[in-house]
């Protein structure tokens, strides 16, 4: 009987130890996997030894599937597509893409970004470290900022009597990353990049070369502000464009009938 009880005791202790070991191997607290909104598409340009850069896009979904699209810039417009499944590491902060055994395939998952890891699964350091980051992009379909005429109603630190509200506007196209508008004298055009956390960057603005003596000062002021834009704020039909320090630059109202 004692022998039987001893066996049972040993078995129970083994089970308890095994259970403790299993629990210790699980990630404790919040992890990238359970605490971040990681599902979505990430884009960036990774360094390339013999080309201008590798344009890279990775889409992750909740079912554990990925789609990776790469293009070698400066060589051709051909895109290379890879898709499969990805797995999380035990700590819940790194994913590994299947089907890419001969190349680095691991990414550290951060808030709205993926960090491309080296062949040993370590963070890349040095002067090019920031170039190995893919940023999460915003879904543009039906985004309230896009495909509407935004009419300028206020320019900070510029007297309203020196320009005519209702003339100046900007329009951001949904199907492309292009924008266009009217600055009070000249038509203008450019590109934009919509990011997470209400970040918005406008590329170099081009414009026609018409000269209007009464409108040029206000127009130049407007274009200078556009180049400083880094954030936007939407409240109904009111749009605010803000600079790096989140200071208000320009205020717009959506043109009626654009809904």
């Amino acid at each position: 009987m004692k022998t039987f009880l001893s066996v049972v005791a040993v078995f129970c202790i083994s089970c308890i130890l095994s259970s403790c070991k299993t629990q210790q191997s699980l990630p404790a607290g919040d992890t990238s996997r359970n605490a971040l909104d990681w599902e979505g598409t990430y884009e960036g340009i990774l360094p390339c030894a013999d080309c201008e850069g590798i344009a890279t896009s990775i889409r992750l979904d909740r079912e554990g599937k990925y789609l990776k699209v790469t293009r070698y810039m400066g060589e051709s417009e051909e895109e290379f597509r890879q898709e499969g499944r990805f797995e999380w590491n035990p700590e819940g902060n790194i994913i590994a893409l299947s089907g890419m055994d001969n190349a680095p395939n691991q990414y550290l998952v951060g808030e709205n970004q993926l960090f491309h890891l080296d062949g040993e699964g370590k963070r890349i350091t040095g002067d090019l470290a920031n170039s190995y980051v893919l940023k999460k992009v915003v879904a543009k379909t039906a985004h309230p900022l896009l495909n509407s005429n935004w009419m300028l109603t206020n320019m900070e630190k510029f007297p309203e009597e020196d320009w005519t509200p209702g003339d100046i506007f900007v329009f951001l196209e949904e199907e492309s990353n292009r924008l266009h508008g009217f600055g009070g004298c000249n038509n203008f055009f450019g590109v934009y990049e919509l990011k997470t956390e209400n970040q918005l960057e406008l590329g170099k603005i081009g414009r026609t070369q018409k000269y209007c003596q009464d409108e040029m000062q206000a127009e130049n002021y407007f274009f200078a502000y556009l180049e400083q834009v880094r954030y936007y704020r939407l409240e109904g039909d009111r749009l605010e464009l803000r600079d790096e320090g989140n200071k208000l630059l320009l205020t717009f109202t959506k043109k009626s009938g654009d809904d």
Side-chain angles (χ1 to χ4, degrees), residues 21 34 39 51 61 118 141 163 166 215 227:
K21 184 177 181 181
N34 63 32
E39 183 179 21
C51 68
D61 68 24
D118 65 19
T141 304
W163 59 283
E215 289 83 13
E227 293 184 358

Side-chain angles (χ1 to χ4, degrees), residues 15-244:
C15 290
I16 291 172
L17 292 175
S18 176
S19 175
C20 290
K21 184 177 181 181
T22 301
Q23 290 178 358
Q24 290 174 354
S25 67
L26 294 176
D30 291 339
T31 67
S32 298
R33 183 177 186 179
N34 63 32
L36 298 181
D37 180 22
W38 50 263
E39 183 179 21
T41 300
Y42 300 78
E43 295 180 351
I45 300 176
L46 302 180
C48 176
D50 51 6
C51 68
E52 297 176 5
I54 306 173
T56 304
S57 171
I58 296 178
R59 188 177 72 217
L60 306 175
D61 68 24
R62 287 289 171 182
E63 285 69 44
K65 298 178 181 179
Y66 78 86
L67 171 63
K68 181 179 181 181
V69 180
T70 55
R71 179 174 62 85
Y72 291 85
M73 301 173 61
E75 292 189 355
S76 73
E77 295 299 315
E78 183 180 5
E79 293 184 341
F80 300 90
R81 298 168 64 90
Q82 297 167 289
E83 51 189 314
R85 303 193 66 84
F86 64 89
E87 300 290 340
W88 290 89
N89 69 344
E91 291 75 23
N93 63 349
I94 292 176
I95 59 171
L97 310 184
S98 64
M100 292 190 293
D101 299 331
N102 296 324
N105 68 334
Q106 296 185 73
Y107 294 85
L108 174 66
V109 181
E111 187 170 6
N112 298 319
Q113 53 192 338
L114 296 179
F115 297 90
H116 184 80
L117 304 181
D118 65 19
E120 298 180 353
K122 298 179 180 179
R123 284 284 299 272
I124 295 172
T125 59
D127 295 339
L128 294 178
N130 292 334
S131 299
Y132 287 92
V133 181
L134 304 179
K135 299 288 187 179
K136 191 175 183 182
V137 297
V138 177
K140 294 169 61 178
T141 304
H143 193 288
L145 179 61
L146 309 180
N147 280 0
S148 293
N149 280 298
W150 293 98
M151 313 302 297
L152 184 68
T153 56
N154 187 58
M155 281 195 290
E156 292 298 303
K157 299 181 181 179
F158 195 87
E160 185 172 313
E161 58 268 21
D162 290 343
W163 59 283
T164 305
D167 288 345
I168 301 175
F169 77 92
V170 63
F171 185 98
L172 282 70
E173 303 171 6
E174 180 181 285
E175 294 185 359
S176 67
N177 278 16
R178 298 184 180 279
L179 63 88
H180 66 268
F182 181 66
C185 177
N186 288 279
N187 296 314
F188 66 90
F189 45 87
V191 295
Y192 70 89
E193 185 176 359
L194 198 58
K195 302 180 180 180
T196 56
E197 299 179 347
N198 285 22
Q199 296 183 67
L200 173 67
E201 291 192 16
L202 309 181
K204 189 67 176 179
I205 302 296
R207 51 172 152 166
T208 55
Q209 298 299 312
K210 184 178 178 182
Y211 180 79
C212 309
Q213 182 173 349
D214 295 336
E215 289 83 13
M216 290 310 296
Q217 184 179 9
E219 183 174 87
N220 290 336
Y221 212 91
F222 173 67
F223 288 138
Y225 268 160
L226 286 182
E227 293 184 358
Q228 298 177 47
V229 171
R230 294 297 181 272
Y231 296 94
Y232 71 91
R233 178 181 296 174
L234 271 174
E235 295 180 0
D237 289 344
R238 174 186 170 93
L239 167 66
E240 296 178 354
L241 298 184
R242 295 171 172 267
D243 67 8
E244 185 70 34

